[in-house]
Amino acid sequence: EGRARGNLALTRVRQARLADDAKLQALYNSLSRKDLGDVTEDVLVDALAHSKGEFRRYVDAPRIENEALRPYFGTIGRGLRFGSPAEIAAWVTDNIRLDEAGNPQHLRIPPAAVRESRSADRLSRGIFFVAMCRTFGFEARIDPVTGRTQYREGERWVNEYFGEPGERILPQGTLGVRYTPVKYLDDPEAERHFTLSRVEDGTAKVLSYMGPASRLFPLQVDEGYYLLTSGTRMADGSVLAHLEFFPVAANARTDVDLVMRTAGGGVSVIGTMDAEQRFLPEKESAEVSLLSRTGRGYFLVAALGGKDEPTNHAVRQLEGIKDYLNAWGRPVVVTGSARPKGLQNAVFGTDTDGKIAKMLAAGCRSDATTLPVVALCDSFGRIVYFSQGYNTSLGEDLKRVIDEL
């Protein structure tokens, strides 16, 4: 729905021929999924009227942080002239009253509303400063990692504190990690498997990095003290955590260990899935969610093939532990043309377009094209066991993991 709204705004502006298509497309491409749900025709028109020459992200993009998208380029700078971001910062300090009490929910106030009211909370003031800089052609941003208000000075981003004490340009160092892959996790992801925090005044502030470690590191960070926190989730909800405190010096490289602890006992969470994923139950005409057939708790999913040998072997393995699975009493969802016999709690169906197999494989960072795929999951979307392709120990593996649940 959000993307449809953005596409409609784009189409209307394109039909009005308000800008060459390359610039309009560049502006549109700068919008995030959230932007596409917020953007309207007047926002695009305002940004296009402001843009001079080739589109520049930190000068021409209307989105600054998570504020509501409203036109501002054509209004907030009226009657003003500035020759540098420093002059804008001085004007903001003198003319925009800092008011934290008037916005207790810390909602992002759009730049045009800040100019009109001449007051804002700290974050909204920063957003307004960035909007003013962009309006007058200076590159500026809210740093997506540190949250600092910044403008570009040559090749460097300079922090702006509006008259408050703080280092404008922080010396930086390089941070790298050493990682030894563990089973089912070749490349840990920020926020999902680990976080990086900067420690200031005894408080650790999480930095908003996202993506796999192999792509993030090495990275440039301000000199200072940091905390690398990693965690392996267990099936019972507990977490095996590892904390690494370390300093990063300016103009030097620091390498630290990224440790993913493994369980000495108990069952760890090795992947994620969506229990609302849909499949077509046997003898039914409409797809339903896995959750609707499994209920709350653990369940087994077996996405099987047809008459291929890996599937035949998986069927024999499942039939070999049928008494154990029946005593366990949890649902077993089986898709594909193969049908293991003797499973009292089996739910047979069709995995339309291989959606379930692909989801399970992707959730465990594996190849989505090889059947059979067998996984132990729960209704919270956690995967605690995963097998793909030919597996001679499938039955024993399942018994061992289920015993430990």
Side-chain angles (χ1 to χ4, degrees):
E1 182 180 346
R3 184 172 292 275
R5 181 177 184 178
N7 286 335
L8 178 60
L10 176 71
T11 300
R12 287 176 174 172
V13 173
R14 180 174 282 138
Q15 290 173 343
R17 300 183 180 277
L18 296 175
D20 67 86
D21 198 62
K23 180 182 289 188
L24 178 58
Q25 193 63 48
L27 169 60
Y28 185 77
N29 290 343
S30 75
L31 302 175
S32 68
R33 180 172 294 183
K34 180 185 187 307
D35 296 333
L36 294 175
D38 294 344
V39 72
T40 53
E41 184 178 351
D42 56 347
V43 171
L44 295 178
V45 170
D46 178 60
L48 288 168
H50 159 75
S51 179
K52 306 295 188 293
E54 186 177 343
F55 180 85
R56 294 179 295 169
R57 176 183 176 186
Y58 294 113
V59 173
D60 300 324
R63 168 73 73 201
I64 295 169
E65 205 244 5
N66 286 322
E67 75 284 1
L69 272 178
R70 300 288 185 272
Y72 64 79
F73 286 116
T75 58
I76 64 173
R78 285 177 182 168
L80 301 172
R81 285 181 176 236
F82 299 108
S84 68
E87 291 181 13
I88 296 176
W91 186 91
V92 170
T93 301
D94 294 339
N95 292 274
I96 304 299
R97 180 174 59 88
L98 195 60
D99 180 14
E100 297 287 355
N103 186 12
Q105 293 180 293
H106 299 288
L107 303 175
R108 278 71 166 171
I109 304 173
V114 172
R115 174 69 198 270
E116 182 177 352
S117 66
R118 296 294 184 100
S119 67
D121 60 278
R122 197 174 302 276
L123 176 57
S124 298
R125 181 184 64 176
I127 293 172
F128 175 76
F129 168 77
V130 172
M132 285 287 278
C133 284
R134 293 184 182 183
T135 296
F136 286 92
F138 305 112
E139 289 188 280
R141 70 179 186 181
I142 302 293
D143 188 314
V145 175
T146 66
R148 293 190 178 104
T149 302
Q150 299 177 326
Y151 62 88
R152 192 186 289 278
E153 190 175 82
E155 296 299 316
R156 302 177 302 187
W157 287 103
V158 178
N159 300 316
E160 182 51 62
Y161 294 95
F162 307 104
E164 299 173 5
E167 294 184 69
R168 295 176 68 244
I169 302 173
L170 297 178
Q172 290 194 320
T174 301
L175 174 62
V177 297
R178 297 179 294 261
Y179 176 66
T180 301
V182 298
K183 191 175 183 181
Y184 296 115
L185 189 56
D186 292 330
D187 197 2
E189 292 187 16
E191 292 201 357
R192 183 178 179 186
H193 301 112
F194 70 90
T195 59
L196 179 66
S197 304
R198 180 177 170 84
V199 182
E200 295 178 338
D201 300 323
T203 300
K205 180 181 179 181
V206 176
L207 304 177
S208 299
Y209 290 106
M210 295 188 69
S214 63
R215 201 168 67 219
L216 285 177
F217 298 98
L219 57 81
Q220 297 297 117
V221 296
D222 296 338
E223 70 172 347
Y225 211 64
Y226 290 84
L227 165 63
L228 182 64
T229 304
S230 56
T232 300
R233 289 185 301 156
M234 303 296 288
D236 63 3
S238 62
V239 176
L240 295 178
H242 181 86
L243 282 69
E244 191 83 23
F245 290 90
F246 56 93
V248 173
N251 304 313
R253 174 164 176 148
T254 301
D255 287 282
V256 297
D257 292 318
L258 174 53
V259 178
M260 298 300 301
R261 291 174 57 191
T262 55
V267 178
S268 59
V269 177
I270 60 173
T272 59
M273 52 83 70
D274 182 5
E276 295 291 345
Q277 182 62 267
R278 304 178 78 79
F279 75 108
L280 181 63
E282 193 173 53
K283 299 180 181 179
E284 295 190 29
S285 59
E287 290 191 337
V288 299
S289 69
L290 287 170
L291 186 60
S292 71
R293 292 297 186 267
T294 63
R296 296 295 178 184
Y298 285 101
F299 55 91
L300 178 64
V301 178
L304 305 178
K307 296 182 179 180
D308 56 281
E309 179 53 31
T311 290
N312 291 337
H313 185 81
V315 169
R316 290 194 295 270
Q317 291 276 307
L318 292 173
E319 289 176 343
I321 60 168
K322 64 180 184 298
D323 292 339
Y324 182 89
L325 292 175
N326 292 338
W328 182 43
R330 297 300 303 159
V332 180
V333 178
V334 180
T335 64
S337 59
R339 292 287 188 267
K341 297 180 176 61
L343 299 180
Q344 297 173 358
N345 298 306
V347 180
F348 296 111
T350 300
D351 182 12
T352 310
D353 298 324
K355 292 182 293 187
I356 292 176
K358 292 175 183 177
M359 171 189 68
L360 295 172
C364 292
R365 303 294 186 273
S366 186
D367 182 0
T369 62
T370 305
L371 295 178
V373 170
V374 180
L376 270 171
C377 316
D378 72 5
S379 51
F380 294 104
R382 300 177 295 194
I383 301 174
V384 297
Y385 174 79
F386 177 83
S387 173
Q388 187 169 37
Y390 197 89
N391 182 356
T392 59
S393 62
L394 176 63
E396 290 304 313
D397 288 347
L398 287 172
K399 289 172 63 176
R400 175 182 53 80
V401 175
I402 290 173
D403 280 344
E404 294 183 5
L405 292 178

